[in-house]
């Protein structure tokens, strides 16, 4: 858990600690070329002279970080993250820890944020969300020895602890339920491609459909926003082989899809059934209320926070499989008008 120091910068640059101090503080005594090299190395390893006092004191930051690579407009309307953060905060506040939240625009920026947070002693550990296949953040966090807990999985988290839920089993329950109602033409509006949980759901959708003997199925990618969910729904419902049921990867897209179906003069659920992933109050406020996969998301966040605090204390608790989301049937699903 060693953080970068002025000595680390000096060693990499091949100069004295005094020269590093001159360069970082804008004082004369080093050439412009040497100054630029020292500044570049300091940025690369996450050393900031403003953190020197804290670094010398060895004090804990009493804060953990969460950097989210999501458009801010989506984060603001998606209930999942608000519920997750509420669970995280409940656990952190009980231990007098604060949560530092930052929205970033790329994985590269997110990695830079981790380096800066760690180098400046702004946080004692971080949560990692939206795990990707061959995620570049994982080896960086391992290299920094920054305590971290991945929210998602399983797999692809390296040596980092992770908290996860079985999305494949949840999707299997949804498809079996729809087939039992008589549906044979089922579509899925998925989340962002490349995210591990999206790929797990996509693979599970294909596997379960083949097991159930369904050949007229399709997955359309979207970005979790209402706009993309609506656009994907229009495309599906305008096709010649229109699905009789659509499963959405989040509640926002499902609500947008419900609106589009009604706008096109289709009855829900008689003409098309709608299922949302991750139940929320929004799912129960629309008409008809949405059938949804439900789980205790605040508890999910609390479990992640508990493990991160243990890792910070040097007592990692290991990986944890949280509850599998279960289906709550409501008014948006029924047997198709023509089975």
């Amino acid at each position: 858990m060693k953080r970068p120091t002025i000595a680390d910068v000096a060693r990499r640059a091949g100069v004295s600690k005094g020269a590093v101090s001159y360069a970082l503080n804008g004082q004369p005594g080093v050439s412009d070329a040497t100054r630029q090299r020292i500044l570049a190395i300091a940025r690369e390893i996450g050393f900031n002279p403003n953190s020197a006092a804290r670094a010398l004191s060895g004090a804990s930051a009493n804060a953990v970080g969460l950097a989210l690579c999501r458009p801010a407009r989506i984060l603001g309307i998606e209930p999942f993250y608000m519920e997750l953060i509420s669970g995280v905060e409940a656990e952190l506040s009980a231990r007098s820890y604060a949560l530092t939240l930052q929205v970033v625009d790329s994985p590269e920026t997110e990695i830079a944020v981790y380096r800066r947070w760690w180098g400046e002693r702004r946080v004692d550990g971080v949560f990692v969300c939206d795990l990707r296949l061959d995620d570049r953040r994982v080896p960086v966090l391992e290299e920094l020895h920054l305590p971290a807990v991945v929210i998602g999985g399983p797999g692809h988290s390296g040596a980092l602890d992770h908290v996860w839920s079985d999305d494949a089993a949840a999707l299997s329950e949804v498809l079996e339920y729809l087939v039992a109602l008589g549906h044979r033409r089922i579509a899925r509006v998925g989340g962002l491609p490349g995210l591990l949980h999206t790929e797990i759901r996509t693979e599970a959708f294909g596997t379960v459909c083949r097991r159930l003997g369904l050949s007229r199925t399709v997955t359309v990618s979207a970005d979790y926003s209402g706009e993309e969910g609506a656009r994907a729904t229009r495309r599906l419902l305008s096709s010649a082989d229109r699905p009789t049921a659509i499963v959405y990867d989040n509640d926002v897209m499902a609500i947008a899809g419900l609106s589009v179906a009604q706008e096109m003069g289709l009855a829900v659920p008689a003409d098309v059934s709608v299922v949302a992933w991750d139940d929320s109050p929004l799912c129960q406020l629309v008409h008809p209320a949405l059938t949804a996969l439900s789980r205790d998301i605040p508890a999910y966040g609390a479990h992640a926070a508990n493990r991160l605090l243990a890792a910070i204390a040097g007592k990692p608790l290991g990986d944890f499989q949280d509850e599998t989301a279960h289906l709550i049937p409501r008014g948006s699903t029924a047997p198709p008008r023509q089975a």
Side-chain angles (χ1 to χ4, degrees):
M1 292 173 62
K2 181 178 180 293
R3 301 174 197 252
T5 65
I6 194 170
D8 296 324
V9 179
R11 185 171 57 255
R12 290 201 182 201
V15 299
S16 68
K17 289 191 287 185
V20 173
S21 179
Y22 292 147
L24 294 177
N25 292 298
Q27 298 176 344
V30 293
S31 68
D32 286 341
T34 299
R35 187 187 309 278
Q36 293 305 315
R37 187 169 81 256
I38 290 171
L39 292 173
I41 290 170
R43 285 193 298 270
E44 177 187 341
I45 69 174
F47 177 77
N48 188 313
N50 294 333
S51 64
R54 266 186 298 178
L56 288 173
S57 72
S60 169
N62 284 107
V64 298
L66 173 60
L68 291 175
C69 189
R70 288 283 188 95
R73 64 184 178 84
I74 296 177
L75 182 62
I77 62 174
E78 191 172 24
F80 172 82
Y81 274 111
M82 297 303 100
E83 292 187 47
L84 181 76
I85 290 172
S86 74
V88 166
E89 283 281 21
E91 192 72 19
L92 293 180
S93 62
R95 315 280 188 89
S96 298
Y97 262 77
L99 176 66
T100 298
L101 174 65
Q102 185 163 341
V103 177
V104 298
D105 59 5
S106 69
E108 292 76 19
T109 304
E110 186 174 341
I111 288 171
V113 166
Y114 292 144
R115 291 189 184 278
R116 186 178 75 252
W117 279 348
W118 189 232
E120 296 179 0
R121 285 189 175 270
R122 290 184 181 273
V123 301
D124 298 319
V126 296
F127 298 105
V128 181
C129 291
D130 289 338
L131 195 64
R132 300 170 181 85
L133 301 174
D134 300 320
D135 201 304
R136 288 172 289 169
R137 299 169 297 173
V138 171
V140 170
L141 292 170
E142 290 175 331
E143 172 197 336
L144 292 173
H145 299 290
L146 173 56
V149 168
V150 175
I151 299 176
H156 298 268
S157 59
L160 306 181
D161 289 350
H162 64 272
V163 175
W164 64 286
S165 180
D166 192 342
D167 284 359
L171 189 56
S172 179
E173 182 183 1
V174 171
L175 292 172
E176 289 171 355
Y177 168 72
L178 291 174
V179 167
L181 289 177
H183 293 277
R184 295 296 179 271
R185 300 194 306 275
I186 303 173
R188 169 174 163 263
V189 177
L192 291 164
L195 298 183
L196 179 60
H197 69 264
T198 301
E199 300 303 323
I200 288 173
R201 294 176 187 184
T202 299
E203 182 178 354
F205 184 78
T207 299
V208 176
C209 285
R210 287 190 294 273
R211 174 169 63 82
L212 297 176
L214 304 176
S215 58
R216 299 159 75 181
T217 60
V218 63
T219 288
V220 178
S221 295
D223 67 356
Y224 298 111
S225 71
E227 294 87 350
E228 281 294 304
R231 188 174 297 113
T233 303
R234 287 191 188 93
R235 188 159 66 250
L236 288 168
L237 296 182
S238 299
S239 65
D241 199 22
R242 188 178 73 204
T244 61
I246 305 177
V247 182
Y248 294 84
D249 266 20
N250 78 345
D251 51 349
V252 174
M253 294 194 297
I255 292 167
L258 172 66
S259 178
V260 166
Q262 293 170 338
E263 165 194 305
M264 295 177 68
L266 298 175
V268 177
D271 294 317
V272 59
S273 286
V274 173
V275 179
W277 202 299
D278 281 330
D279 193 15
S280 73
L282 295 177
C283 293
Q284 301 175 55
L285 292 175
V286 294
H287 182 77
L290 294 182
T291 293
L293 282 163
S294 179
R295 55 179 169 158
D296 190 340
I297 298 172
Y300 192 47
H303 295 151
N306 188 42
R307 274 156 176 74
L308 181 55
L309 292 172
I312 291 169
K315 302 174 183 178
L317 298 179
D319 301 334
F320 178 75
Q321 182 178 351
D322 212 312
E323 67 168 326
T324 301
H326 58 279
L327 192 68
I328 298 182
R330 296 194 182 103
S332 68
T333 49
R337 198 185 296 276
Q338 292 181 348

